[in-house]
Amino acid sequence: MIESPNALKSAGRFTIAARLRSFIFAWRGLRWLVYNEHNARVHLAASIVTMGAGLFLNVSANDWRWLLLAIGLVWLAEAFNTAIEQMCDRVEPNFDPVIGRIKDIFAGAVLMASIVAAGIGLLTLGPPVWAMLDGIRP
């Protein structure tokens, strides 16, 4: 997103200020996603719970790699899905079966990413949880 016509003139040049602005725009997009998309809030809660469990269970650096990859995969899918939905709604505000199918396909991608992330979470966090529960059984 470009703020002014003057920003267009400097868009081709590398400047630290331009890079910092791009981070501001990116954070603005993520904030919009969380505030406006219910599923993004569900993903945020799941991300927080997963990271909290990883910290509590003191998982290895290798396990953290998997957990962060899974969390990132879901967030990427949700962001792409939301962007495509926004663009489709802008291009065709009325119902269109082809656009509906496109939106369904992207929603399916989010579902698949979430299923894969849940699997990674269970495979990564499950064994330490079972070991902890096994240790407290009489």
Side-chain angles (χ1 to χ4, degrees):
M1 177 178 204
I2 297 176
E3 289 183 324
S4 70
N6 290 336
L8 284 173
K9 293 178 188 174
S10 64
R13 291 189 2 230
F14 176 86
T15 66
I16 298 298
R19 293 312 98 215
L20 291 175
R21 273 195 310 277
S22 70
F23 279 105
I24 291 168
F25 298 147
W27 281 111
R28 186 187 320 169
L30 288 174
R31 188 178 69 216
W32 187 95
L33 184 67
V34 170
Y35 283 126
N36 293 285
E37 290 295 318
H38 298 288
N39 287 339
R41 290 194 290 273
V42 171
H43 298 315
L44 179 61
S47 298
I48 291 168
V49 167
T50 300
M51 290 190 290
L55 289 170
F56 178 76
L57 296 168
N58 197 29
V59 298
S60 70
N62 190 47
D63 288 341
W64 273 112
R65 287 183 196 108
W66 283 105
L67 293 174
L68 293 175
L69 179 65
I71 290 168
L73 173 70
V74 172
W75 279 101
L76 284 169
E78 183 62 40
F80 286 145
N81 179 52
T82 300
I84 290 296
E85 284 182 351
Q86 292 282 309
M87 187 171 54
C88 286
D89 291 346
R90 177 75 182 216
V91 169
E92 181 53 67
N94 299 315
F95 176 76
D96 179 277
V98 174
I99 287 184
R101 187 170 47 251
I102 291 166
K103 292 166 81 171
D104 289 348
I105 290 167
F106 273 92
V110 176
L111 177 61
M112 183 56 64
S114 298
I115 290 169
V116 169
I120 289 171
L122 287 173
L123 289 171
T124 305
L125 299 174
V129 167
W130 286 121
M132 185 180 71
L133 293 175
D134 205 29
I136 59 174
R137 269 195 234 165

